[in-house]
Each structure stands twice: as C-alpha cells, then as structure tokens.
Amino acid sequence: MRIAVISDVHSNLPALEAVLEDLGRVDEILCAGDLVGYASQPNEVVDLLRRRGIPAVMGNHDYAAVTGEVEWFNPSARRAALWTRERLTEENRRYLRSLPEELRLTREGVRIYLVHGSPRDPLFEYVFPDLPQRQLLELVRGVEAQVILLGHTHVPMRRVIQGKLVLNPGGVGQPRDRDPRASYLVLTLEDGEAEAEFRRVEYDIDRAAEGIRKAGLPPELASRLYVGW
Ligand SMILES: [Mn+2]
C-alpha cells in the first residue's frame, strides 16, 4: 500500500496541483496541517483537499485563521492569517475548525500517528531534523505507533528511533530547505514494514507569487517561494 503524505500547503494552489499530478498511483493521501496561510488561494486549496477526501490535522495557521488568535506570529504571517480569516467561506471555516489535532490510523497492520507540530504540542512545537536523539525520544516515547508523521517545519525529515519511523514530508506550498520545489513523500507499507520516498516537484512559482502580490499580501511571502526559504 502506498500513502502520499503532504503538509503545509499554505493556500498555494499551483504547488498543490503539481503535487497531486505528480503522485502517480497511491491508495491514500494524508495531510499534516497548515492548509491555509501565507498564499492567496485558501478556499481553492481547502475545496480541493475536501473534494479529494484527504484526511488532515489542524495546523497553527489553520487555527489562527479560524480563531483570529495571531499574536505569536511574525508580522507577515499575521497579516496573511487575518487576510485568510476574512476570505474563508463559512463552509471552509467550519471545515478547518473541525479538523482534529491528531489522527491515529492503522493501515496494513501498521499504526500511523499524524500531527502538525509534535505529539506533546500538536499545533506549535517544531521538530527539526537535527533534534538530538534524546529529545526526540522524549517526544515520541508515549506515541504507540510505528510511523509518526509531522509537519510544521517545512523541512523534510526522516529519523528512526526505538523502531519508530519519524517523518516530515517538508512543505508543499512554502519549502524552507533552500529547494523551492514542492516537497512531499510517499510511504510504502508492505508486510508490516514502512518506508518513505521523498519527492520534489517543480511548480509554477510565478503564478503563486503573482497571486500573493495581487492580493496585497506582504511581498516577501512571494519572493521567498523562489529561494525555498
Ligand atoms: Mn506551516
């Protein structure tokens, strides 16, 4: 069985479309949160993910867009969150509000745990790829799953700790590892074993950047897409 894992789409429809086209044959798609925020097409992105029936967890930007609680954000993220909040349709607002903070699934006998930030702080804590093993162990010790899927950092990650595979697909809509291509992964489950393949996809950054500028959103949200940061 093959499961595509996406995260941090951030209202970037051209990036999401490119990833969905690139997936090939997968049995399921999971989304680790931050559907909205930053770019200019929140409703289009949410509509598409809902139409495809893609299970998702709530990210901090989704939370901010539905609650208006933005005080922890930097100025451009704050502006984008409030801009998004004004534009979300009532239906999409309700959908985002309904997203769970964690998802637990079992596929082919493999237990999978999905969260945006970290198991102890689902919305806000960053788990970067270089987190020391001891701290990572602390985070995942209580999680009864063989595969732990995270988002939030926009940086791809693969770690193995106590037999648990800890993965972050990187960012679809705003990669932050200096590679501007949209990032995602495909999880393969076979005979109770799990492995991940990381993928990058070029997309029409001009289209996303122009949308951001035309919407009057902070221009640095457009320019950063070209450098993947
Ligand atoms: Mn994010």
Side-chain angles (χ1 to χ4, degrees), residues 107-111 146-147 188-194:
R107 297 289 183 269
E108 300 211 355
V110 176
R111 283 189 287 183
Q146 192 176 333
V147 178
T188 301
L189 305 178
E190 207 178 342
D191 304 325
E193 296 293 312

PDB file of all heavy atoms in Angstrom, residues 107-111 146-147 188-194:
ATOM      1  N   ARG A 107      -3.002   0.954   8.956  1.00  0.00           N
ATOM      2  CA  ARG A 107      -3.060   0.520   7.562  1.00  0.00           C
ATOM      3  C   ARG A 107      -2.130  -0.672   7.401  1.00  0.00           C
ATOM      4  O   ARG A 107      -0.953  -0.581   7.728  1.00  0.00           O
ATOM      5  CB  ARG A 107      -2.615   1.640   6.615  1.00  0.00           C
ATOM      6  CG  ARG A 107      -3.507   2.888   6.647  1.00  0.00           C
ATOM      7  CD  ARG A 107      -4.862   2.631   6.008  1.00  0.00           C
ATOM      8  NE  ARG A 107      -5.678   3.841   5.968  1.00  0.00           N
ATOM      9  CZ  ARG A 107      -6.537   4.222   6.919  1.00  0.00           C
ATOM     10  NH1 ARG A 107      -6.685   3.468   8.001  1.00  0.00           N
ATOM     11  NH2 ARG A 107      -7.238   5.326   6.792  1.00  0.00           N
ATOM     12  N   GLU A 108      -2.681  -1.765   6.879  1.00  0.00           N
ATOM     13  CA  GLU A 108      -1.898  -2.996   6.695  1.00  0.00           C
ATOM     14  C   GLU A 108      -1.177  -3.398   7.978  1.00  0.00           C
ATOM     15  O   GLU A 108      -0.011  -3.789   7.952  1.00  0.00           O
ATOM     16  CB  GLU A 108      -0.905  -2.827   5.553  1.00  0.00           C
ATOM     17  CG  GLU A 108      -1.587  -2.523   4.245  1.00  0.00           C
ATOM     18  CD  GLU A 108      -0.840  -3.069   3.028  1.00  0.00           C
ATOM     19  OE1 GLU A 108       0.265  -3.616   3.188  1.00  0.00           O
ATOM     20  OE2 GLU A 108      -1.386  -2.947   1.934  1.00  0.00           O
ATOM     21  N   GLY A 109      -1.873  -3.233   9.091  1.00  0.00           N
ATOM     22  CA  GLY A 109      -1.298  -3.634  10.381  1.00  0.00           C
ATOM     23  C   GLY A 109      -0.275  -2.656  10.937  1.00  0.00           C
ATOM     24  O   GLY A 109       0.306  -2.888  11.989  1.00  0.00           O
ATOM     25  N   VAL A 110      -0.015  -1.566  10.237  1.00  0.00           N
ATOM     26  CA  VAL A 110       0.948  -0.569  10.695  1.00  0.00           C
ATOM     27  C   VAL A 110       0.203   0.603  11.324  1.00  0.00           C
ATOM     28  O   VAL A 110      -0.686   1.190  10.708  1.00  0.00           O
ATOM     29  CB  VAL A 110       1.821  -0.057   9.520  1.00  0.00           C
ATOM     30  CG1 VAL A 110       2.751   1.049   9.982  1.00  0.00           C
ATOM     31  CG2 VAL A 110       2.615  -1.201   8.908  1.00  0.00           C
ATOM     32  N   ARG A 111       0.570   0.904  12.561  1.00  0.00           N
ATOM     33  CA  ARG A 111      -0.075   2.035  13.227  1.00  0.00           C
ATOM     34  C   ARG A 111       0.616   3.337  12.852  1.00  0.00           C
ATOM     35  O   ARG A 111       1.848   3.449  12.932  1.00  0.00           O
ATOM     36  CB  ARG A 111      -0.072   1.827  14.739  1.00  0.00           C
ATOM     37  CG  ARG A 111      -1.156   0.823  15.141  1.00  0.00           C
ATOM     38  CD  ARG A 111      -1.331   0.769  16.624  1.00  0.00           C
ATOM     39  NE  ARG A 111      -0.203   0.089  17.248  1.00  0.00           N
ATOM     40  CZ  ARG A 111      -0.123  -0.157  18.554  1.00  0.00           C
ATOM     41  NH1 ARG A 111      -1.096   0.243  19.364  1.00  0.00           N
ATOM     42  NH2 ARG A 111       0.917  -0.776  19.053  1.00  0.00           N
ATOM     43  N   GLN A 146       4.035   2.993  14.818  1.00  0.00           N
ATOM     44  CA  GLN A 146       5.276   2.617  14.149  1.00  0.00           C
ATOM     45  C   GLN A 146       5.740   3.734  13.225  1.00  0.00           C
ATOM     46  O   GLN A 146       6.917   3.892  12.946  1.00  0.00           O
ATOM     47  CB  GLN A 146       4.990   1.349  13.348  1.00  0.00           C
ATOM     48  CG  GLN A 146       6.189   0.634  12.819  1.00  0.00           C
ATOM     49  CD  GLN A 146       5.753  -0.658  12.133  1.00  0.00           C
ATOM     50  OE1 GLN A 146       4.715  -1.245  12.471  1.00  0.00           O
ATOM     51  NE2 GLN A 146       6.521  -1.100  11.157  1.00  0.00           N
ATOM     52  N   VAL A 147       4.759   4.512  12.730  1.00  0.00           N
ATOM     53  CA  VAL A 147       5.070   5.631  11.838  1.00  0.00           C
ATOM     54  C   VAL A 147       4.499   6.907  12.440  1.00  0.00           C
ATOM     55  O   VAL A 147       3.320   6.971  12.769  1.00  0.00           O
ATOM     56  CB  VAL A 147       4.489   5.412  10.429  1.00  0.00           C
ATOM     57  CG1 VAL A 147       4.779   6.613   9.538  1.00  0.00           C
ATOM     58  CG2 VAL A 147       5.045   4.136   9.806  1.00  0.00           C
ATOM     59  N   THR A 188       5.457   3.671   1.820  1.00  0.00           N
ATOM     60  CA  THR A 188       5.094   2.343   1.327  1.00  0.00           C
ATOM     61  C   THR A 188       4.994   1.389   2.513  1.00  0.00           C
ATOM     62  O   THR A 188       5.922   1.304   3.328  1.00  0.00           O
ATOM     63  CB  THR A 188       6.145   1.818   0.324  1.00  0.00           C
ATOM     64  OG1 THR A 188       6.218   2.742  -0.765  1.00  0.00           O
ATOM     65  CG2 THR A 188       5.757   0.461  -0.213  1.00  0.00           C
ATOM     66  N   LEU A 189       3.866   0.717   2.616  1.00  0.00           N
ATOM     67  CA  LEU A 189       3.651  -0.265   3.678  1.00  0.00           C
ATOM     68  C   LEU A 189       3.587  -1.638   3.049  1.00  0.00           C
ATOM     69  O   LEU A 189       2.796  -1.876   2.134  1.00  0.00           O
ATOM     70  CB  LEU A 189       2.334   0.019   4.418  1.00  0.00           C
ATOM     71  CG  LEU A 189       2.159   1.420   5.003  1.00  0.00           C
ATOM     72  CD1 LEU A 189       0.803   1.553   5.659  1.00  0.00           C
ATOM     73  CD2 LEU A 189       3.265   1.732   5.998  1.00  0.00           C
ATOM     74  N   GLU A 190       4.456  -2.541   3.527  1.00  0.00           N
ATOM     75  CA  GLU A 190       4.494  -3.875   2.958  1.00  0.00           C
ATOM     76  C   GLU A 190       4.938  -4.844   4.031  1.00  0.00           C
ATOM     77  O   GLU A 190       5.976  -4.631   4.671  1.00  0.00           O
ATOM     78  CB  GLU A 190       5.483  -3.875   1.783  1.00  0.00           C
ATOM     79  CG  GLU A 190       5.159  -4.910   0.743  1.00  0.00           C
ATOM     80  CD  GLU A 190       6.132  -4.845  -0.437  1.00  0.00           C
ATOM     81  OE1 GLU A 190       6.821  -3.822  -0.610  1.00  0.00           O
ATOM     82  OE2 GLU A 190       6.192  -5.838  -1.167  1.00  0.00           O
ATOM     83  N   ASP A 191       4.159  -5.903   4.239  1.00  0.00           N
ATOM     84  CA  ASP A 191       4.476  -6.929   5.243  1.00  0.00           C
ATOM     85  C   ASP A 191       4.766  -6.327   6.611  1.00  0.00           C
ATOM     86  O   ASP A 191       5.719  -6.723   7.283  1.00  0.00           O
ATOM     87  CB  ASP A 191       5.699  -7.760   4.785  1.00  0.00           C
ATOM     88  CG  ASP A 191       5.479  -8.390   3.422  1.00  0.00           C
ATOM     89  OD1 ASP A 191       4.320  -8.766   3.148  1.00  0.00           O
ATOM     90  OD2 ASP A 191       6.434  -8.484   2.635  1.00  0.00           O
ATOM     91  N   GLY A 192       3.980  -5.332   7.000  1.00  0.00           N
ATOM     92  CA  GLY A 192       4.146  -4.729   8.314  1.00  0.00           C
ATOM     93  C   GLY A 192       5.323  -3.775   8.419  1.00  0.00           C
ATOM     94  O   GLY A 192       5.612  -3.235   9.478  1.00  0.00           O
ATOM     95  N   GLU A 193       6.028  -3.566   7.317  1.00  0.00           N
ATOM     96  CA  GLU A 193       7.165  -2.646   7.300  1.00  0.00           C
ATOM     97  C   GLU A 193       6.783  -1.351   6.594  1.00  0.00           C
ATOM     98  O   GLU A 193       5.955  -1.353   5.697  1.00  0.00           O
ATOM     99  CB  GLU A 193       8.351  -3.279   6.549  1.00  0.00           C
ATOM    100  CG  GLU A 193       8.909  -4.526   7.201  1.00  0.00           C
ATOM    101  CD  GLU A 193       9.576  -4.248   8.536  1.00  0.00           C
ATOM    102  OE1 GLU A 193      10.382  -3.308   8.591  1.00  0.00           O
ATOM    103  OE2 GLU A 193       9.267  -4.951   9.519  1.00  0.00           O
ATOM    104  N   ALA A 194       7.429  -0.262   7.013  1.00  0.00           N
ATOM    105  CA  ALA A 194       7.134   1.036   6.405  1.00  0.00           C
ATOM    106  C   ALA A 194       8.423   1.678   5.908  1.00  0.00           C
ATOM    107  O   ALA A 194       9.456   1.619   6.573  1.00  0.00           O
ATOM    108  CB  ALA A 194       6.470   1.942   7.438  1.00  0.00           C
TER     109      ALA A 194
END
